[in-house]
Amino acid sequence: MKMIKATNICKSFDGEEVLSGISFEVNKGEVVAIIGPSGSGKSTLLRCINLLEKIDSGDIIVEDEIMVATNGAGKAIYAEKKELRKIRLKLGLVFQNFNLFPHFNVMKNITEAPKNVTRVSKEEASKIAEELLVKMGLEDKANAFPCQLSGGQCQRVAIARALALNPDVLFFDEPTSALDPELTIEVMKVIRKLAEEHMTMVVVTHEMGFAREVADRVIFMDNGVIVEEGAPEDIFTNPSNERTKQFIKGFNA
Amino acid sequence: MRLIDLLSRGMIVTIQLFVLTLILAIPLGLIISFGRRSKSRIINGIAGIYISIMRGTPLMLQLVVVYFGPYYIFGGKIDRFAAAVIAFALNYAAYFAEIYRGGIESIPKGQYEAGEVLGFTKIQVFFKIVLPQVVKRILPAISNEVITLVKDTALVTTIGVAEMFRAAQSEASRVASIEPLFVAGVFYYIMNLIVAQLFALAEKKLNYYR
């Protein structure tokens, strides 16, 4: 089953094209890693799919629902607000710098959206949060405030917060770029665990080792286009495109 | 003792003016700050002009305009105390609006985005996520304004509201001494000590996170 189907996405900021006709799909249970140099449009792509930016043209379909489609005149037409809210809840996004709510403790960071958005009862929301905290190895941090946590712990709380809404697809925007190598490992471990449970995930990352080991498919982006995509082994050991070769070589050197 | 008694009675009016001004100016300031942040150029412009006039002209003059204005326009009269409350609320709301705006703009964009991807509505994002953080950040600036307000209440003698400073003034001329004014000064100082303490307490209470 296709979770995400994006076709020919174009996006410009102030006349500068950041995404130039991106098409890709994500299947249920798949882990897709998006790699590429800074400024290649990876984060923008994620932000577009998560409705933080609006695309100029192209189609995005989430499961069976049309988020945005381009009409005959080449203009992107978004679904109605109500529909978009419904689609949004199928998607979860984890940010590079966590964006936890500093005035809420860990528990409240996780339960606030279920309580107020999906209208889950208080008890149910707390139960879900407790289970997620155990899964993240943070069961003793429920009452801590984000400022009392390490970056790795913050990111795991952010993952739990996104999972509490039970999304069908979870997106990660460079989830470890703000972390020390040591803390990177603990966050990667959690993502790996989710992969083992067949959570559908799209991860923008600079961690080549992670992309290689955990991803089912790797997409290499440069200059707003998908240069190459394929199985991790092919991309990392036998890239067909010259640009991909250079990029991978840069990491291995 | 007569002096203390007079000043205490005046102080009740001063406190009433102070409290009513805050009750009105705090939410009004928020509305004006929304106007100042509006994408509509007209609303933004109106809010900008409002703030500019309120901050750029003497509060004493604003008091006079609110008190005597209705007489010239409608020929009707307005209660002195009501005029004082209205003028103060309109004036302080302008200052509060700018403080709110600064606070709101200091909240990182990521907080809005995190709220948005979690499915919160814009209103929920503002009231649950942004505003509580704004309150913590602007408390020191607000405490400055509130302390100034305590002292500014003395200005309403201009339109003849019988509050503490007026009581001190008339007593001073009756006994031909400035002593009553000094005692009034002590009263204002004590009120402000209390205000400052309350704000310090509130700041401490909000110190549970960074």
PDB file of all heavy atoms in Angstrom, chain B residues 137-149:
ATOM      1  N   ARG B 137       8.463  35.797  29.610  1.00  0.00           N
ATOM      2  CA  ARG B 137       9.482  36.684  29.060  1.00  0.00           C
ATOM      3  C   ARG B 137       9.206  38.162  29.307  1.00  0.00           C
ATOM      4  O   ARG B 137      10.123  38.961  29.420  1.00  0.00           O
ATOM      5  CB  ARG B 137       9.602  36.461  27.545  1.00  0.00           C
ATOM      6  CG  ARG B 137      10.244  35.126  27.241  1.00  0.00           C
ATOM      7  CD  ARG B 137      10.394  34.918  25.756  1.00  0.00           C
ATOM      8  NE  ARG B 137      10.749  33.526  25.524  1.00  0.00           N
ATOM      9  CZ  ARG B 137      11.536  33.100  24.553  1.00  0.00           C
ATOM     10  NH1 ARG B 137      12.032  33.975  23.702  1.00  0.00           N
ATOM     11  NH2 ARG B 137      11.817  31.831  24.418  1.00  0.00           N
ATOM     12  N   ILE B 138       7.910  38.529  29.343  1.00  0.00           N
ATOM     13  CA  ILE B 138       7.611  39.968  29.426  1.00  0.00           C
ATOM     14  C   ILE B 138       7.379  40.446  30.850  1.00  0.00           C
ATOM     15  O   ILE B 138       7.200  41.641  31.069  1.00  0.00           O
ATOM     16  CB  ILE B 138       6.383  40.340  28.553  1.00  0.00           C
ATOM     17  CG1 ILE B 138       5.116  39.685  29.098  1.00  0.00           C
ATOM     18  CG2 ILE B 138       6.626  39.999  27.095  1.00  0.00           C
ATOM     19  CD1 ILE B 138       3.857  40.126  28.377  1.00  0.00           C
ATOM     20  N   LEU B 139       7.378  39.538  31.804  1.00  0.00           N
ATOM     21  CA  LEU B 139       7.066  39.938  33.173  1.00  0.00           C
ATOM     22  C   LEU B 139       7.910  41.120  33.682  1.00  0.00           C
ATOM     23  O   LEU B 139       7.352  42.060  34.257  1.00  0.00           O
ATOM     24  CB  LEU B 139       7.194  38.720  34.098  1.00  0.00           C
ATOM     25  CG  LEU B 139       6.099  38.542  35.135  1.00  0.00           C
ATOM     26  CD1 LEU B 139       4.720  38.772  34.571  1.00  0.00           C
ATOM     27  CD2 LEU B 139       6.195  37.179  35.791  1.00  0.00           C
ATOM     28  N   PRO B 140       9.226  41.127  33.471  1.00  0.00           N
ATOM     29  CA  PRO B 140      10.012  42.269  33.954  1.00  0.00           C
ATOM     30  C   PRO B 140       9.569  43.592  33.323  1.00  0.00           C
ATOM     31  O   PRO B 140       9.460  44.609  34.018  1.00  0.00           O
ATOM     32  CB  PRO B 140      11.446  41.922  33.549  1.00  0.00           C
ATOM     33  CG  PRO B 140      11.449  40.430  33.414  1.00  0.00           C
ATOM     34  CD  PRO B 140      10.089  40.075  32.902  1.00  0.00           C
ATOM     35  N   ALA B 141       9.292  43.568  32.029  1.00  0.00           N
ATOM     36  CA  ALA B 141       8.872  44.797  31.349  1.00  0.00           C
ATOM     37  C   ALA B 141       7.498  45.241  31.841  1.00  0.00           C
ATOM     38  O   ALA B 141       7.245  46.434  32.042  1.00  0.00           O
ATOM     39  CB  ALA B 141       8.841  44.575  29.834  1.00  0.00           C
ATOM     40  N   ILE B 142       6.601  44.286  32.057  1.00  0.00           N
ATOM     41  CA  ILE B 142       5.265  44.616  32.549  1.00  0.00           C
ATOM     42  C   ILE B 142       5.358  45.199  33.958  1.00  0.00           C
ATOM     43  O   ILE B 142       4.661  46.157  34.302  1.00  0.00           O
ATOM     44  CB  ILE B 142       4.355  43.360  32.543  1.00  0.00           C
ATOM     45  CG1 ILE B 142       4.064  42.899  31.117  1.00  0.00           C
ATOM     46  CG2 ILE B 142       3.049  43.633  33.296  1.00  0.00           C
ATOM     47  CD1 ILE B 142       3.071  43.740  30.344  1.00  0.00           C
ATOM     48  N   SER B 143       6.229  44.646  34.784  1.00  0.00           N
ATOM     49  CA  SER B 143       6.332  45.154  36.157  1.00  0.00           C
ATOM     50  C   SER B 143       6.762  46.617  36.147  1.00  0.00           C
ATOM     51  O   SER B 143       6.279  47.419  36.943  1.00  0.00           O
ATOM     52  CB  SER B 143       7.260  44.276  36.999  1.00  0.00           C
ATOM     53  OG  SER B 143       8.601  44.647  36.823  1.00  0.00           O
ATOM     54  N   ASN B 144       7.640  46.984  35.217  1.00  0.00           N
ATOM     55  CA  ASN B 144       8.015  48.396  35.070  1.00  0.00           C
ATOM     56  C   ASN B 144       6.800  49.276  34.838  1.00  0.00           C
ATOM     57  O   ASN B 144       6.626  50.315  35.465  1.00  0.00           O
ATOM     58  CB  ASN B 144       8.927  48.556  33.848  1.00  0.00           C
ATOM     59  CG  ASN B 144      10.378  48.647  34.251  1.00  0.00           C
ATOM     60  OD1 ASN B 144      10.675  48.932  35.408  1.00  0.00           O
ATOM     61  ND2 ASN B 144      11.255  48.402  33.316  1.00  0.00           N
ATOM     62  N   GLU B 145       5.967  48.854  33.893  1.00  0.00           N
ATOM     63  CA  GLU B 145       4.783  49.639  33.541  1.00  0.00           C
ATOM     64  C   GLU B 145       3.815  49.741  34.709  1.00  0.00           C
ATOM     65  O   GLU B 145       3.211  50.793  34.952  1.00  0.00           O
ATOM     66  CB  GLU B 145       4.055  49.009  32.342  1.00  0.00           C
ATOM     67  CG  GLU B 145       4.788  49.118  31.023  1.00  0.00           C
ATOM     68  CD  GLU B 145       5.127  50.549  30.664  1.00  0.00           C
ATOM     69  OE1 GLU B 145       4.293  51.447  30.908  1.00  0.00           O
ATOM     70  OE2 GLU B 145       6.238  50.765  30.158  1.00  0.00           O
ATOM     71  N   VAL B 146       3.645  48.633  35.413  1.00  0.00           N
ATOM     72  CA  VAL B 146       2.670  48.616  36.504  1.00  0.00           C
ATOM     73  C   VAL B 146       3.120  49.533  37.641  1.00  0.00           C
ATOM     74  O   VAL B 146       2.318  50.240  38.243  1.00  0.00           O
ATOM     75  CB  VAL B 146       2.430  47.162  36.985  1.00  0.00           C
ATOM     76  CG1 VAL B 146       1.544  47.141  38.218  1.00  0.00           C
ATOM     77  CG2 VAL B 146       1.785  46.344  35.873  1.00  0.00           C
ATOM     78  N   ILE B 147       4.419  49.546  37.876  1.00  0.00           N
ATOM     79  CA  ILE B 147       4.957  50.444  38.909  1.00  0.00           C
ATOM     80  C   ILE B 147       4.763  51.904  38.490  1.00  0.00           C
ATOM     81  O   ILE B 147       4.379  52.754  39.288  1.00  0.00           O
ATOM     82  CB  ILE B 147       6.449  50.119  39.164  1.00  0.00           C
ATOM     83  CG1 ILE B 147       6.531  48.825  39.993  1.00  0.00           C
ATOM     84  CG2 ILE B 147       7.153  51.263  39.878  1.00  0.00           C
ATOM     85  CD1 ILE B 147       7.920  48.236  40.094  1.00  0.00           C
ATOM     86  N   THR B 148       4.986  52.175  37.227  1.00  0.00           N
ATOM     87  CA  THR B 148       4.752  53.533  36.720  1.00  0.00           C
ATOM     88  C   THR B 148       3.284  53.905  36.868  1.00  0.00           C
ATOM     89  O   THR B 148       2.955  55.044  37.212  1.00  0.00           O
ATOM     90  CB  THR B 148       5.167  53.631  35.236  1.00  0.00           C
ATOM     91  OG1 THR B 148       6.508  53.197  35.126  1.00  0.00           O
ATOM     92  CG2 THR B 148       5.047  55.049  34.718  1.00  0.00           C
ATOM     93  N   LEU B 149       2.414  52.929  36.632  1.00  0.00           N
ATOM     94  CA  LEU B 149       0.973  53.193  36.741  1.00  0.00           C
ATOM     95  C   LEU B 149       0.593  53.638  38.156  1.00  0.00           C
ATOM     96  O   LEU B 149      -0.205  54.569  38.326  1.00  0.00           O
ATOM     97  CB  LEU B 149       0.175  51.942  36.344  1.00  0.00           C
ATOM     98  CG  LEU B 149      -1.340  51.996  36.570  1.00  0.00           C
ATOM     99  CD1 LEU B 149      -1.970  53.138  35.759  1.00  0.00           C
ATOM    100  CD2 LEU B 149      -2.004  50.668  36.200  1.00  0.00           C
TER     101      LEU B 149
END
